[in-house]
Amino acid sequence: MLHSMSTTVEPSSERSAAEVNEEIRALWLRSGGTLSVEQREEYQRLVMEWAAAAPEPGRAA
């Protein structure tokens, strides 16, 4: 049986881009600069969440 990976961004919570960015920085700090397979998956999820939370260019805050 094959499972497809969803490309839809579904943030786990309504966090700000700054909060997600802080978690990304902490992940890199904990990893020592080299991400394991699991950490890369977490990083990709966080980047997608950050992109969804980041303000769009030209949009008033």
Side-chain angles (χ1 to χ4, degrees):
M1 176 170 29
L2 296 175
H3 297 278
S4 63
M5 188 170 143
S6 173
T7 56
T8 304
V9 177
E10 295 179 25
S12 58
S13 64
E14 294 296 321
R15 299 189 294 174
S16 71
E19 289 172 313
V20 179
N21 188 41
E22 198 57 40
E23 190 171 339
I24 291 169
R25 289 174 185 260
L27 173 64
W28 277 106
L29 204 59
R30 285 191 314 270
S31 75
T34 304
L35 299 177
S36 68
V37 172
E38 293 82 14
Q39 288 169 322
R40 274 182 276 174
E41 290 170 357
E42 180 181 0
Y43 173 75
Q44 289 173 345
R45 180 189 59 76
L46 288 168
V47 168
M48 295 298 286
E49 183 180 349
W50 174 85
E56 294 178 24
R59 187 171 77 181

